[in-house]
Amino acid sequence: MARIRIDLPERYLLTVELPVRITDLNYGAHLGNDALLALLHEARVQLLRHLGQPEFDPATGLGHIMADVAIEYKGEGFYGDTLRIQVGAADLGKYGFDVVYWVHNQDGREIARAKTGMLCFDYNTRKLRLLPDAYAARLRGETA
């Protein structure tokens, strides 16, 4: 069976700490895959806000759309854990980029690696839009 492998970036743009809530557990009494994806979504929204680029701006209709997601599970998360999610960007292209996540618990144990492919999207026209140069520079960690 082919396995997913997430390459980690050299630089992270933000670290987000989020608790594992009781509602995040599955029947195995550990962090469920659906809950982890929701926590990654929160970390991504915080990253984009940190960069001054909302995931979706209702005033303009401009935002992002997720093209794909991949998660490489490394360990279990449990109720009461605080997840430390380091977030960075990779594979910047004409229309978008990958958000890469490295997830550890409060003891430093690796929980997961993940990536979401994000495309710049105009919800008014329902079409992709170009990744602005200034935004790409912030995603690379360059100061403007």
Side-chain angles (χ1 to χ4, degrees):
M1 167 173 91
R3 302 288 309 224
I4 291 173
R5 182 169 182 266
I6 306 294
D7 293 322
L8 298 173
E10 292 181 18
R11 170 188 292 183
Y12 294 95
L13 301 169
L14 184 69
T15 298
V16 176
E17 291 190 356
L18 299 170
V20 175
R21 305 163 305 168
I22 195 70
T23 56
D24 295 330
L25 303 185
N26 63 16
Y27 53 83
H30 59 230
L31 178 63
N33 57 53
D34 57 331
L36 177 59
L37 186 57
L39 292 167
L40 298 177
H41 177 75
E42 176 63 31
R44 181 181 66 253
V45 169
Q46 288 191 29
L47 170 69
L48 297 176
R49 181 190 212 174
H50 172 74
L51 296 173
Q53 196 73 36
E55 187 164 75
F56 173 71
D57 182 352
T60 63
L62 301 180
H64 303 79
I65 193 165
M66 186 185 299
D68 58 35
V69 62
I71 301 173
E72 184 181 357
Y73 298 98
K74 296 291 193 172
E76 296 175 290
F78 298 100
Y79 174 70
D81 281 352
T82 298
L83 299 183
R84 184 172 188 255
I85 306 171
Q86 293 174 267
V87 192
D91 294 329
L92 278 67
K94 184 175 181 179
Y95 297 105
F97 53 93
D98 285 342
V99 176
V100 182
Y101 313 81
W102 196 17
V103 184
H104 293 82
N105 72 3
Q106 68 280 354
D107 299 322
R109 189 167 39 88
E110 187 175 19
I111 303 300
R113 298 175 183 199
K115 75 112 187 156
T116 51
M118 303 303 295
L119 297 171
C120 296
F121 196 71
D122 184 332
Y123 283 86
N124 301 302
T125 63
R126 312 304 286 182
K127 294 185 187 280
L128 295 179
R129 61 187 186 92
L130 296 175
L131 175 64
D133 291 337
Y135 184 20
R138 289 192 306 275
L139 288 165
R140 287 191 295 269
E142 300 168 3
T143 56

